Amino acid sequence: MSSGGVVIVGSGLGGYTLARELRKLDGAVAITVVTADGGEAYSKPMLSAAFAQGKTALTLVQKGCGQVEEDLRLRVLARRRVERIDRAARQVVLDDGIGLGYDHLVLAVGADPRPYGVAGSESVTIHSVNDLDDYARWRALIGTSSRILLIGAGLIGCEFANDLAAAGYGVSVVDPAPWPLGRLLPREVGEEVAAALGGIGIALHLGRSVVRIAPGKAVLDDGSEIAFDHALSAIGLVPRLDLARQAGLAVDKGIVVDRTLRTSDPAIFALGDCAQTEAGPLPFVLPLMAEAKALAFTLAGTETALSLPALPVVVKTPALAVAVCPPAPGKAGEWRVEGEGRDRKALFVGADGTALGFALSGRRAAERQSLAKEMPDLMG
Ligand SMILES: Cc1cc2nc3c(=O)[nH]c(=O)nc-3n(C[C@H](O)[C@H](O)[C@H](O)COP(=O)(O)OP(=O)(O)OC[C@H]3O[C@@H](n4cnc5c(N)ncnc54)[C@H](O)[C@@H]3O)c2cc1C
């Protein structure tokens, strides 16, 4: 099998947004998408807001694989894996050993859930939900009225907790940080989030870690125990680097790309959760959309450098509206918080008094778009 044209590895929001943007600009170029999953178009952020809305994996699908092929006039090789990249031959080698040639290769391979290990974890299945297949399995497994142990109170952990609690599950959350969304929020706002999640019945075990786990029981570092039916881990994602690493491309925290999303090989590009831009890894939808647009222009023949304004992220916790715009990684500063109770505005301010990022909650969350305009560009 050989192809040429553009080969995109991955059918997540990164891969499919790029395919759509490229097709708008170039009606003729051959596009092939190779994907380890079923090739359905769906919105990954919905995975942590779907239970309360009664959505199944099937109803989360926006377009089946065949429909994507028809609409975008491309080929999708679904349930197929790229095993390696042969840069010299300009081809990817698929899991059945067949080579697929490319003029331009785009890695949109996403990220894996960070593995969770603790004493006893080999005796318990600790689930994670990072794609549609995971969601289908998890939803079928937990059925109704289960007690869920959720490891991690970061952005995705809080969203899952809120969603599962709203759907009627008993949820216990464990996180070593003293308040939820510990890396994104100052204490005053984090404590309001904790109160709101507690208010809908979630048992928060903050400042605590699981030290031992067994089927149905987790023991925390203060000796307390949590009984559970099923465990879900949401302790973060790790970019998938294997393909790039094996091919000898530059990798760091992600696949290193320049402003044009080019890797260290000029014929290979990367975007989305697997990529590390000049602003660092940006594992959110809005940066990914901007990356896809810029890269589509480059692939269509107009070299285009990525530029990114500050991009706020809405945390899907209906118990308390929260929006964050984290400062660029490594920026020093301090939080200045105003407002009362649930309605807070927190600015992360650098030594020279410049606001570098923000966190908003309650009614103040509505200010996110206007406030984002006052923040420094992520990539000017
Ligand atoms: C539960 C959850 C909620 C989220 N909520 C939000 C939110 O509210 N707002 C926000 O901005 N962001 C959110 N995010 C983050 C956002 O969804 C991601 O940044 C984005 O979806 C990543 O898209 P991607 O295309 O880079 O990767 P993915 O969607 O992970 O796609 C990777 C693709 O690569 C394929 N693949 C990998 N390796 C291979 C291989 N070797 N061969 C073939 N195919 C391969 C996979 O099968 C898959 O199709 C959320 C993430 C999660 C998990």
Side-chain angles (χ1 to χ4, degrees):
M1 201 193 297
S2 79
S3 154
V6 176
V7 172
I8 301 172
V9 190
S11 63
L13 285 168
Y16 273 169
T17 307
L18 172 66
R20 200 171 48 247
E21 294 297 328
L22 180 56
R23 185 50 85 219
K24 277 191 220 162
L25 300 173
D26 187 335
V29 66
I31 305 174
T32 305
V33 177
V34 186
T35 179
D37 60 31
E40 304 87 354
Y42 74 104
S43 171
K44 188 183 271 201
M46 278 303 295
L47 296 178
S48 50
F51 261 99
Q53 295 179 30
K55 299 256 187 197
T56 65
L58 212 59
T59 58
L60 283 174
V61 172
Q62 294 160 338
K63 273 184 194 178
C65 183
Q67 192 65 49
V68 175
E69 285 186 307
E70 201 179 313
D71 289 356
L72 298 181
R73 283 171 287 118
L74 49 73
R75 188 165 57 134
V76 181
L77 304 179
R79 304 275 175 215
R80 304 287 294 278
R81 292 194 68 81
V82 169
E83 293 293 344
R84 66 185 176 86
I85 303 167
D86 182 343
R87 288 168 57 191
R90 285 216 178 184
Q91 65 169 12
V92 292
V93 179
L94 306 188
D95 40 13
D96 53 7
I98 286 176
L100 180 66
Y102 63 81
D103 298 320
H104 293 115
L105 174 65
V106 181
L107 301 174
V109 292
D112 278 318
R114 189 176 293 283
Y116 178 73
V118 70
S121 52
E122 65 289 345
S123 66
V124 180
T125 306
I126 300 174
H127 300 267
S128 52
V129 175
N130 186 39
D131 60 31
L132 210 51
D133 291 344
D134 291 342
Y135 180 74
R137 274 190 297 271
W138 173 244
R139 199 172 199 284
L141 176 78
I142 66 176
T144 52
S145 308
S146 310
R147 296 160 301 171
I148 310 296
L149 170 66
L150 218 158
I151 318 273
L155 190 142
I156 291 172
C158 285
E159 293 185 351
F160 278 127
N162 196 146
D163 192 44
L164 289 164
Y169 292 91
V171 183
S172 300
V173 181
V174 183
D175 195 299
W179 56 84
L181 299 155
R183 275 184 289 172
L184 297 170
L185 302 181
R187 180 178 55 78
E188 294 86 336
V189 186
E191 287 177 350
E192 291 300 330
V193 175
L197 295 177
I200 59 165
I202 296 169
L204 290 161
H205 302 265
L206 299 168
R208 299 266 73 94
S209 299
V210 176
V211 290
R212 203 167 56 255
I213 197 163
K217 188 175 84 173
V219 182
L220 306 191
D221 52 359
D222 62 354
S224 60
E225 294 182 0
I226 300 172
F228 66 91
D229 300 308
H230 300 290
L232 183 68
S233 167
I235 57 167
L237 296 172
V238 192
R240 295 184 176 122
L241 303 180
D242 287 358
L243 277 181
R245 196 179 272 131
Q246 284 162 7
L249 302 177
V251 298
D252 181 24
K253 292 189 185 112
I255 304 169
V256 176
V257 292
D258 68 11
R259 284 271 176 134
T260 60
L261 286 315
R262 260 194 190 83
T263 67
S264 50
D265 179 328
I268 307 181
F269 301 79
L271 85 163
D273 280 9
C274 66
Q276 178 176 335
T277 67
E278 281 176 20
L282 301 166
F284 295 107
V285 173
L286 290 180
L288 171 160
M289 300 279 175
E291 289 168 7
K293 283 195 171 128
L295 180 50
F297 273 102
T298 296
L299 294 175
T302 307
E303 278 292 297
T304 301
L306 177 67
S307 60
L308 290 173
L311 295 168
V313 177
V314 174
V315 186
K316 300 184 295 295
T317 43
L320 179 63
V322 176
V324 295
C325 188
K331 288 282 179 194
E334 58 172 25
W335 285 105
R336 293 191 193 151
V337 187
E338 61 181 66
E340 287 299 318
R342 292 161 58 94
D343 305 321
R344 304 277 186 149
K345 171 180 173 181
L347 289 179
F348 188 81
V349 179
D352 64 355
T354 316
L356 302 170
F358 63 77
L360 304 167
S361 65
R363 281 189 290 240
R364 305 298 296 264
E367 296 169 36
R368 65 183 180 278
Q369 300 293 6
S370 54
L371 200 50
K373 295 196 177 94
E374 297 171 25
M375 299 296 125
D377 288 341
L378 263 173
M379 235 189 256

